[in-house]
Amino acid sequence: MRRICITISYDGTEYAGWQRQHNALGIQQVLEDTLEALFGRSAHVVASGRTDTGVHAWGQVASFDLEHEIAPGQLKKAMNSRLPDDIRVMDASEVGLDFHPRFDAKEKTYCYSVYCGDTMPPLYRRYMVLESRPLDRDRIREALALLVGRHDFKAFQSTGSPTNTTIRTLYGAEMKVDPADPHILRFYFTGDGFLYNMVRIMAGTLLQVGYGRFLPGQVEQALRTGRRELAGPTAPAHGLALMSVRYPGR
Amino acid sequence: MRRICITISYDGTEYAGWQRQHNALGIQQVLEDTLEALFGRSAHVVASGRTDTGVHAWGQVASFDLEHEIAPGQLKKAMNSRLPDDIRVMDASEVGLDFHPRFDAKEKTYCYSVYCGDTMPPLYRRYMVLESRPLDRDRIREALALLVGRHDFKAFQSTGSPTNTTIRTLYGAEMKVDPADPHILRFYFTGDGFLYNMVRIMAGTLLQVGYGRFLPGQVEQALRTGRRELAGPTAPAHGLALMSVRYPGR
């Protein structure tokens, strides 16, 4: 038995998120069906974490076990020749049998993309959200700085999500203007883990700060009190992409 | 009667090009149907030129006549509220009744986008082509320089295209690395007009030069002799986008 680790990129537009489910197609199922078609036995693919319906990935990490002796580079090619073109294996390697993509993940980076303008250019529409109100970028930077660190992010999770602890560490939170198009703002968040909808709620909060509905200090208040209503709305899924997952020693 | 000029952006993936036709949906038809639904009478929308099936536009220019007194800004909003999200009116203005988007066009700029790598990231797949072979960028630049100027581009048109003259002036032809992702090469072409498939054949030729099948000097030979077989293959439609159209005094 071998354990294979793959880095996957996907356009989440057509999928009901990562997880296999009834009545809707998850990315996990597409990968498992592909492996079953290739190797003739059922496969179980485990990811670093779920992504929601419509969320994209540049570097999701997943693993599965394989009896076959195919070289990882060949496996990548074989999978890509069968996968739909909105899911691609970008990298494949053999890892130890004790590797677990979720439990071993050290940090993850997400990006939330916003197009600032009055009309969404069609070539961007699948991957960003439109923000027509003028944004105060200095205030957004103030709010971003307040998010960084080890905090109770209870106010930044969708209500009713079951978790042991709502304490997470955000190592970095920054805003970058896309060097290819100054209309595009990207919020990057790197942390040891993220609560359900946490990045989308942080993005929604930053936009409220940007157009002046919230003061930057409200972020601190939300963190301190854990009150969901002090944070902003959950920003739409299609602006979000999982960029990368880091593991110890890699 | 008023003449309205609109700048349109579209994702060409789902359309059979610009032109209205039987058995397939052209972008022209979507716009004409939208105007008819809004104003209750049939409309005729004229563009700066056709784009082929699968070709995109950031700044296609078109015009139509209207009896209604709606302000251009309101017209833009009204059209966008009815158009599918892969077609957007980015700008609308009133122009003189003698304005013609094709005959008056002074120059056009196209961009052809190439992703250099072994696997196409799904989020790019609709808008670029994959090139896995290593490209010699200096040689591509040499070939680009040879294309610039007033030439007979007969070798760079699809055979059988009816035109009065195959002489065109290319004001600029350059390659840029995308500042947001160094894997992306973009070829920009600005000229007074383009023959059928001319940009896609130039892009196909540049890639042949880049991976060493053609020497840059073959471009000159193709221009001199007009022999289509000296130019490269027609590169796929989905890598191409019409960027902008310029008019005198604008």
Side-chain angles (χ1 to χ4, degrees), chain A residues 121-140:
Chain A
L123 279 77
Y124 290 158
R125 76 192 188 286
R126 295 162 73 99
Y127 312 117
M128 342 185 163
V129 297
L130 180 68
E131 180 54 70
S132 304
R133 295 164 289 205
L135 298 178
D136 183 328
R137 297 181 182 192
D138 290 333
R139 289 193 165 185
I140 292 179

Side-chain angles (χ1 to χ4, degrees), chain B residues 33-181:
Chain B
D33 290 353
T34 298
L35 289 169
E36 189 169 342
L38 284 170
F39 300 107
R41 45 173 88 192
S42 71
H44 182 57
V45 180
V46 180
S48 72
R50 297 173 191 174
T51 52
D52 279 340
T53 299
V55 172
H56 312 292
W58 283 94
Q60 169 71 289
V61 173
S63 75
F64 51 88
D65 291 340
L66 200 65
E67 298 280 359
H68 200 283
E69 290 193 354
I70 187 170
Q74 286 306 110
L75 174 64
K76 170 185 159 175
K77 279 188 197 167
M79 290 182 74
N80 285 337
S81 71
R82 282 190 173 260
L83 284 166
D85 67 358
D86 52 5
I87 303 178
R88 276 287 167 273
V89 176
M90 304 305 286
D91 190 65
S93 61
E94 191 166 343
V95 290
L97 285 174
D98 57 345
F99 175 77
H100 193 288
R102 187 163 78 253
F103 303 144
D104 293 355
K106 210 165 111 185
E107 63 180 53
K108 284 185 187 181
T109 299
Y110 281 95
C111 176
Y112 199 90
S113 301
V114 178
Y115 182 83
C116 302
D118 74 351
T119 308
M120 174 63 86
L123 279 76
Y124 290 157
R125 76 192 188 288
R126 295 161 73 98
Y127 312 116
M128 338 185 167
V129 299
L130 180 68
E131 179 54 69
S132 304
R133 295 163 289 207
L135 298 179
D136 183 325
R137 297 180 183 195
D138 289 334
R139 289 193 166 187
I140 293 178
R141 283 196 193 90
E142 264 185 74
L144 279 163
L146 294 169
L147 287 166
V148 176
R150 185 172 160 85
H151 302 290
D152 186 341
F153 284 95
K154 189 166 174 245
F156 295 87
Q157 72 171 345
S158 285
T159 43
S161 358
T163 40
N164 296 324
T165 168
T166 49
I167 292 172
R168 294 289 183 278
T169 302
L170 209 58
Y171 302 120
E174 30 175 6
M175 178 174 67
K176 289 186 186 167
V177 178
D178 190 291
D181 185 338

Side-chain angles (χ1 to χ4, degrees), chain A residues 14 23 38 65 72 107 133 154 178 192 203 213 230 247:
Chain A
E14 308 294 335
N23 308 321
L38 284 170
D65 291 341
E107 63 179 55
R133 295 164 289 205
K154 191 167 171 246
D178 190 291
D192 61 354
R213 227 195 114 217
L230 290 177
Y247 293 89

Side-chain angles (χ1 to χ4, degrees), chain A residues 23-190:
Chain A
N23 308 321
L25 188 62
I27 290 139
Q28 180 187 17
Q29 184 183 338
V30 179
L31 290 165
E32 289 177 351
D33 290 353
T34 298
L35 288 168
E36 188 169 344
L38 284 170
F39 300 107
R41 43 173 91 189
S42 70
H44 182 58
V45 180
V46 180
S48 72
R50 298 173 189 174
T51 51
D52 280 338
T53 300
V55 172
H56 313 291
W58 283 94
Q60 169 71 289
V61 173
S63 75
F64 52 86
D65 291 341
L66 200 66
E67 298 280 0
H68 200 283
E69 289 192 357
I70 186 169
Q74 285 307 110
L75 175 64
K76 170 185 159 174
K77 279 188 197 166
M79 290 181 74
N80 284 337
S81 72
R82 283 190 172 259
L83 283 167
D85 67 359
D86 53 6
I87 303 179
R88 276 288 168 273
V89 176
M90 303 306 287
D91 190 66
S93 61
E94 190 166 344
V95 289
L97 286 174
D98 58 346
F99 174 78
H100 193 288
R102 186 162 78 253
F103 303 143
D104 293 355
K106 209 164 111 185
E107 63 179 55
K108 284 186 187 181
T109 299
Y110 281 95
C111 176
Y112 198 91
S113 301
V114 178
Y115 182 83
C116 301
D118 74 352
T119 308
M120 174 64 86
L123 279 77
Y124 290 158
R125 76 192 188 286
R126 295 162 73 99
Y127 312 117
M128 342 185 163
V129 297
L130 180 68
E131 180 54 70
S132 304
R133 295 164 289 205
L135 298 178
D136 183 328
R137 297 181 182 192
D138 290 333
R139 289 193 165 185
I140 292 179
R141 284 197 192 89
E142 264 185 74
L144 279 162
L146 294 170
L147 287 167
V148 176
R150 185 172 161 83
H151 302 290
D152 186 341
F153 283 95
K154 191 167 171 246
F156 295 86
Q157 72 172 346
S158 285
T159 43
S161 359
T163 40
N164 296 325
T165 167
T166 48
I167 292 172
R168 295 289 184 277
T169 302
L170 209 57
Y171 301 120
E174 28 174 9
M175 178 174 68
K176 289 185 186 166
V177 178
D178 190 291
D181 185 339
H183 292 94
I184 304 172
L185 289 185
R186 301 199 195 266
F187 301 131
Y188 289 93
F189 302 97
T190 299

